[in-house]
Amino acid sequence: MATVAEQWVLVEMVQALYEAPAYHLILEGILILWIIRLLFSKTYKLQERSDLTVKEKEELIEEWQPEPLVPPVSKDHPALNYNIVSGPPSHNIVVNGKECINFASFNFLGLLDNPRLKAAALASLKKCGVGTCGPRGFYGTFDVHLDLEDRLAKFMKTEEAIIYSYGFATIASAIPAYSKRGDIVFVDKAACFAIQKGLQASRSDIKLFNHNDMDDLQRLLKEQEIEDQKNPRKARVTRRFIVVEGLYMNTGTICPLPELVKLKYRYKARIFLEESLSFGVLGEHGRGVTEHFGIDIDDIDLISANMENSLASIGGFCCGRSFVIDHQRLSGQGYCFSASLPPLLAAAAIEALNIMEENPGIFAVLKEKCKRIHKALQGISGLKVVGESISPAFHLQLEESTGCRERDVKLLQEIVTQCMDRGIALTLARYLEKEEKYLPPPSIRVVVTVEQTEEELEKAATTISKVAQTVLL
Amino acid sequence: MVDPGGGAVCNGTLHNQSDHCHRKNCTRNGMVKEAQQNGNSNFYKPVVESFEEAPLHVMVFTYLGYGIGTLFGYLRDFLRNWGIEKCNAAIEREEQKDFVPLYQSFENFYTRNLYMRIRDNWNRPICSAPGALFDVMERVSDDYNWTFRFTGRIIKDVINMGSYNFLGLAAKYDESMKTVKDALETYGLGVGSTRHEMGTLDKHKELEDLVAKFLNVEAAMVFGMGFATNSMNIPALVGKGCLILSDELNHASLVLGARLSGATIRIFKHNNMQSLEKLLRDAVIYGQPRTRRAWKKILILVEGIYSMEGSIVRLPQIVALKKKYKAYLYVDEAHSIGSLGPTGRGVMEFFAMDPRDIDVFMGTFTKSFGASGGYIAGRKDLVDYLRAHSHSAAYATSMSPPIAEQIIRAMKLIMGLDGTTQVPGPGIEPTPPAVEVQSLNHWIAKEVPMHICLNQFVNQAICTSIVHNT
């Protein structure tokens, strides 16, 4: 009330104190004392979990036994008995002392022991030594790196390319640079391990669709669209990506890129294409799956590949528009925080690109050989061929599994060992069984290169079929 | 209970004693080494670290600089949006304009407005081996660092204080590198397969045996990339239900490896043993959060030399703590291998410790050995386990043969196995730290590893002018 407010003078307050009833004063006094006590008492810490005495704590420390740092590995684990290659892993390979024809190394264009590559690397070695001793930001950028990036961009007809010093790290660093927590990534179930690690590092929402199944992908995209309509504000900041491989390492199949591009524009998701196996293999000039299908390369946001297969070097690269690629120069972990690619490997990659550009006929030759051996291996009793006919790296799986993965692996390993005794070097496709999300069935990987002659292809086919007959029946 | 290395642990807390060391000379393999007293392995030398604090006026000006830069950035963005100023940055395609933007607006803001101003300090290309003197390609910008143009001129014989070439082994080709040339001609460059499949060459086996001998451990395994060694092997060692105690200033590869493993990560203050001990005690006593189950294992991640600070890890104290609390120790010796210790064996030799005290030795070949790649070494069962379960061994290409040969050559040189006794000074005696570059506002950790010069980038204008005059 206005009158009360005007009368609020100190004298009046003291007078009110004298006139107040006793119980009122006593109550107020008690409250004030209580407040003072609370102010000065120790605060109650919520983290004070338990009241263990020092003795009990020491006992707990004494008693605790951690697991051993590593569990013991059985002596006959296949990884402990590696195939040791003496000498270069080229067309004629010496494995465990046996001379074989190489059907296991990813040397698609046969450039692993090409003298021109060796000469280019030697020239670089003479000029720049071996190591670069620094990341790209701190004087680790050599003129060869810039040349290689330029050449790759020109070859793939994109604006820019960026190189990494290790193939695995390429896609595993590229994905987390763009996709962060809260973004959505649609990825194929048969994606390779490097992609899986990249996705894990990115902490995004992962939605898996069945291998090469565009209907499944469309279903997932539609569901996402419905979600978006419920929450449009969130949808406006959630990026969407589709990650696929051009030629899948685990199954040897090609992704249906035209449908993917249609889905991209319809549902506004960006496409990241991993072309490790298809670069230098598919397409008229070896430009990969975009050339194979005749798709404009600008429709693909990021193409990532490693230089360890067709280019017979070490490392990897990403190419695309500058808008996309330039971001990785500051936020690609494997680029910024790691030493750059040794210049001799970069020089060899440039020379390999030169060879690829000079004779584009090798790609057709490679496709022919793939088709030939694909046909020759059909009809082997007990084994089925998994993979496209033009894929140079395909799998041979058991037609009927025994039911137990270990036994399957043993059978296939027996086939591989006997083939090696007969001079054909093959390998089982190796996975980390506990780490893979969708473990592919056990299989033998067969790799076709341009260096293999027709007789050798025939020999391989007959050897495999003979050995399969003895082992599986 | 007294632990080796000058710290006493009693009643569960670590007390630091003053360091003292007794030294006698002894010769082994023709090299003079310091020996330690029996049963009482002390520090090789007391570690004196001093990190200057930035003076107040510098800090104020730095923050002020960033503030003004940001304001100008907003102004320029405004001008660009309204078309008054031309935008030089790459933009999204027309067809994809209605997609969700690829970059958050602030992510790009820094790059566009602040980083662009000083971008010419980094990524400077060179065109010779990164030795003591190297050739830098001259690079100018006509449009304020948006694009660069090479004038074609090469600035020759620039003094190199930027490359991690500690022992000078990354040099132009000379006759001592003949084995590398032979390896290149015999083996070629690529490998084309993984370690598990067809990618294990006899060269790798030779290298691994040599690394194990060099470090005085049971076995070693090499990988093709140093960064990938950390990010692919830590997940193989620890998983869910384990605890990782990681130093504040660990490298990005260690952080990534720890994250990918799925274990719980707790950070302790840089080189602060009290902080580490508190975390260890809490971990062992209270177990996992909420469920109170015991941790499966505890892994301490440290580096030998921290590249951003120039500080050396307090290894003896950490080993004492690890023994008391039964944790495992992982030391990343990327910078310290080949450069610390009287014979370059790294931080373990620097502190004169037993190699069996450190569980996992990790290092890279990029810095002291002038090559590329990484290794993990330790007990045989550890290395066998990694051979079977490392992500890199199963899915990533193995090391290139000429690179492996360069490492073999470098290691043999350091070990004296190539017949020479002259070891390219691992530099334990500090070069006179008279490089008091106070006037440049650089902070240099005044301690033994002078080869790590820390550029605390504070005053941008000064640094830019230095780089231009290099």
Side-chain angles (χ1 to χ4, degrees), chain A residues 62 64 67 69 85 106 118 131 133 141 166 200-201 239 264 270 298 308 321 323 432 436 445, chain B residues 92-93 96 100 102-103 123 126 164 185 192 197 200 202 259-260 296-297 326 328 366 370 395 397:
Chain A
E62 284 286 321
W64 179 65
E67 284 181 7
L69 180 58
V85 176
F106 290 118
K118 291 186 189 173
C133 295
T141 307
Y166 205 43
Q200 195 183 352
R239 294 173 281 242
K264 164 187 169 163
R270 295 194 159 86
D298 280 338
E308 292 157 3
R321 287 167 281 128
F323 175 71
L432 286 177
E436 288 263 5
R445 181 179 285 134
Chain B
E92 180 66 281
R93 279 170 90 203
Q96 291 181 213
V100 177
L102 187 55
Y103 310 116
N123 295 304
I126 68 177
Y164 294 125
E185 280 165 359
E197 293 183 9
T200 307
D202 44 1
R259 263 183 48 207
L260 286 177
K296 287 197 196 149
K297 28 187 151 140
K326 299 180 217 129
Y328 299 111
T366 332
Y395 295 106
T397 324

Side-chain angles (χ1 to χ4, degrees), chain B residues 195 204-205 207-213 215 217-223 361 365 375-380 383-384 387:
Chain B
R195 289 297 291 265
H204 296 137
K205 186 148 186 343
L207 176 57
E208 287 174 359
D209 290 339
L210 191 62
V211 171
K213 196 158 142 209
L215 293 170
V217 290
E218 288 176 24
M221 182 171 181
V222 299
F223 305 94
F361 288 86
F365 299 118
Y375 67 86
I376 290 204
R379 295 199 353 242
K380 187 160 186 317
V383 176
D384 281 346
R387 280 194 214 284

Side-chain angles (χ1 to χ4, degrees), chain A residues 360-419:
Chain A
I362 43 175
F363 306 112
V365 170
L366 182 63
K367 284 198 188 72
E368 262 311 302
K369 298 204 179 189
C370 295
K371 284 194 196 133
R372 181 182 295 261
I373 194 165
H374 204 92
K375 216 162 79 167
L377 286 174
Q378 301 282 357
I380 297 184
S381 54
L383 290 177
K384 63 175 186 229
V385 180
V386 173
E388 303 255 340
S389 59
I390 49 171
S391 158
F394 55 90
H395 295 254
L396 289 169
Q397 289 174 10
L398 289 172
E399 247 172 11
E400 279 174 31
S401 160
T402 58
C404 162
R405 194 188 168 95
E406 265 192 44
R407 247 179 294 149
D408 287 349
V409 170
K410 264 208 180 66
L411 281 174
L412 290 169
Q413 182 61 49
E414 191 47 45
I415 299 180
V416 167
T417 320
Q418 291 200 16
C419 282

Side-chain angles (χ1 to χ4, degrees), chain A residues 78-93:
Chain A
L80 290 183
N81 310 311
Y82 289 154
N83 295 321
I84 302 215
V85 176
S86 344
S90 53
H91 178 59
N92 294 312
I93 190 176

